[in-house]
Amino acid sequence: MNFLRGVMGGPSAGPQPSGAETIQKLCDRVASSTLLDDRRDAVRALKSLSKKYRLEVGIQAMEHLIHVLQTDRSDSEIIGYALDTLYNVISNDLEEEEQEENSTKQVDDLGSQFTEIFIKQQENVTLLLTLVEEFDFHVRWPGVKLLTSLLKQQGPQVQQIILVSPMGVSRLMDLLADSREVIRNDGVLLLQQLTKSNAAIQKIVAFENAFERLLDIITEEGNSDGGIVVEDCLLLLQNLLKNNNSNQNFFKEGSYIQRMKPWFEVGDDNCGWSAQKVTNLHLMLQLVRVLVSPTNPPGATSSCQKAMFHCGLLQQLCTILMATGVPADILTETINTVSEVIRGCQMNQDYFASVNAPSNPPRPAIVVLLMSMVNERQPFVLRCAVLYCFQCFLYKNQKGQGEIVSTLLPSTIDATGNSVSAGQLLCGGLFSTDSLSNWCAAVALAHALQENATLKEQLLRVQLATSIGNPPVSLLQQCTNILSQGSKVQTRVGLLMLLCTWLSSCSIAVTHFLHNPANIPFLTGQIAENLGEEEQLVQGLCALLLGISIYYNDNSLENYRKEKLKQLIEKRIGRENFIEKLGFISKHELYSRAAQKPQPSFSSPDHMMFDHEFTKLVKELEGVISKAIYKSSEEDKKEEEVKKTLEQHDNIVTHYKKVIREQDQELEELKQRINTLTSQNEQLQATVTQQVSQIQQHKDQYNLLKVQLGKDSQHQNSHSDTFQMNGFQTEEVSKLKEELEEWKNKHELLQGQLREKDSVIEKLKSSQLEVGTTEQSSQTSKSGGLELNNELQKELEMLRSQIQLQSAEISKLQMENQKLQVMLPNTAADPLLGESNTTAAHNSELEQEIRELKSQVKALSEEKESLKQHLDSASSTAAILQDEKSKLQQEVAESKKEQDDLLVLLADQDQKLSALKIKLKDLGVPVEDEDDIESGDQGDEDEDGDEEQED
């Protein structure tokens, strides 16, 4: 322990060891001690020495510290000391008082060398990733700091190791969810270093839900009013989105653009902005610009621009733009942001044109911004931002270009002078004494004419009043007048760019330019002179303007035909000299800078010479003009023919474009018609469904009718259902026939009885005893015959009632058949046919369904015909049965007549018997006892007969 006290600065006996010796002894203790406490104390001592003796600790102790990380992971305290020591050795983030100015480079090299030693074994980085997963604060926090330092020193190498490590990036993403803010904040710094210039890691981090977590942190910290944590999150978001199209699309598709709107909600009181708030808002604006940068793919930029409009972000930015008290750098960056949000997006450009400044009276935001641009007292960066905003407003915006140019035309100028228009501001800036205003106004006006031949012709009508008493001159003439007056280089460059843009692709403007006899001599004189380096740029632009006057010349002026202008160049300048002067433009350094990106960015006003869109025009025309200068008249004629052909081709293309637009309109109309027809189709399908249900109902009624026709047959005999006609069955007919046979048998029996009675009467005539007996038997036969006759009449009445019931049922079935015959054609065939004719032209599927329905209706009709045939057959059967019934009734009538005859005979017999009895009594024959016996017997028989009848 005395050794340790000596190391830590306590009193000890003997001489003090040097730092290197102490570090060596501590390293030996770490390597050889078996007790964990001893190793922990030694590592803690190394940590305390690591800042002062960084080199010695790094050289001697790094290997031992790595070994501690591998073997003593169970003790979080020694792991924390080891990680802190490695961080002190590798990191260059030392306190300023510990750094010497002349040793800064050496310190940087030292950290890089130690980092290289540490990551030489990739297992060390993997081990560090494992330690970062530990929840213990004393392990996780120093592990995060150490890994961040490694990424700062050897970023690409460490990124590659983490990328190939299983779940390496995912482990580090968990740091954003740590509840301890210090670890979470340092985790953000770690991810900043991890995602620098590595698209693969950027994509992994983005798909690990980084956007959601970072936006949550920004919201929790107070958006733009938050502290440095918000700044770190914004820097990490920039790393993830900048130049990464995949992440930008993921950010847009995830609806994260909508969550950016609250960042720009500033209050009415905008005084006293803190430096951190200015920084945060500046980064937020830059993040918006990353999403809509002109260097992004056009499709991605356009979708982000539309999303920003729909969520209200553009409106919020315009509010900041027109607010008061906003710091100048924030206002400048806001103007640049709005510029790129509206660039090339017609919807956003239209909205920006409608924004008014909160003034009395209200003025359009464009006018207010142009006033700042032509005001020489405004900051240079702000004027550049306004110019960029105006350029973006006019980019691919023919409607906006027309509105700007219209403010210059005589018919739209406000005669009262109460309001200032954009055109008046541009003209004022174009002819002011400030060269920067001249240049900005010339470039702005050139953008109003960009790729718009119609406006170039209309601008020729603009007349300017130069002074009182002098006639007005055209804008084109005034520009050439200022050129010839020998103004500043910046002014002349701006005016020449305007003239070149104006005259290109516009033969009428070229003719107007050549109509002034002073213009060509001025250009040839400028080109032919040998001027200084500063004037070379003007000479090149003059050569370009003269070349445009030749290339786009329609030979309408005899003195300035193409051939004569070429001869003039050959005599006064020389072709080679002309081409050399023309090449001054593209060889200029400022030309190369301007060609890189659309935004005007200049270190000083003196460097403000070229516009980005003009560099494209130079690139397009330089080669064409060079060839035109060397062409002969014959080649010019051929070129004219080619131009005419091209013009015809352009006219054809224009015609086809018009046709395509018309077809697009027709297509939209057809789409609307399709939608209408689709709705009609759905209605018709619903109608067809209803018709199908009605047909199904008719089928059900038909089936019910069939069931009703076969009901009687099912009740009588289940196996005889093949012959069912209107309720009549063969069994009933046979039964009736059997009954008739029974009646016939009974009739024959009665006749036999009558014959027997006749024989009895004959016997009575021969004998009184026999006569008495015969009289009694005849009375018995008479009563039995009457009973049988009554029963027969009852059976006949029952038969008649059954026949009437069957006839009623037949008529009922005939009526139902007629109703079915009427309903089937009216409700199924005709409506379906009409509907099919209506829908067949619009939907083939519906037509197919209607065909099927028609076939079903046809089948129903066939079934109806079959039913009708069955009914006819049933009617014929009923007629046959009716005939049989008539025959039976006739037979019954005959039998009844025979019964009547029999009754007459019986009555005669009774009279005869009575007469015989009287005679017998007169003769003294006792017949009463027998009569009483017979009457008693007869009474008994009558009683028995009554009982049987009651039964």
Side-chain angles (χ1 to χ4, degrees), residues 26 45 119 141 522 543:
L26 290 173
I119 66 174
W141 187 38
F522 168 75

Side-chain angles (χ1 to χ4, degrees), residues 54-120:
R54 180 182 176 189
L55 178 61
E56 292 80 1
V57 173
I59 293 174
Q60 300 183 38
M62 181 174 288
E63 183 178 353
H64 300 294
L65 293 172
I66 294 173
H67 184 70
V68 167
L69 296 178
Q70 295 171 345
T71 57
D72 292 329
R73 290 181 56 184
S74 59
D75 185 72
S76 60
E77 191 174 358
I78 191 173
I79 295 294
Y81 292 149
L83 291 172
D84 284 332
T85 305
L86 289 171
Y87 172 74
N88 293 335
V89 169
I90 292 175
S91 175
N92 292 326
D93 300 334
L94 302 177
E95 297 181 2
E96 293 182 0
E97 59 269 15
E98 295 181 3
Q99 286 188 353
E100 297 180 3
E101 294 181 359
N102 57 358
S103 64
T104 302
K105 185 177 179 181
Q106 181 180 358
V107 169
D108 292 341
D109 293 341
L110 189 61
S112 179
Q113 291 173 3
F114 282 136
T115 300
E116 190 173 353
I117 295 172
F118 183 85
I119 66 174
K120 189 173 183 181

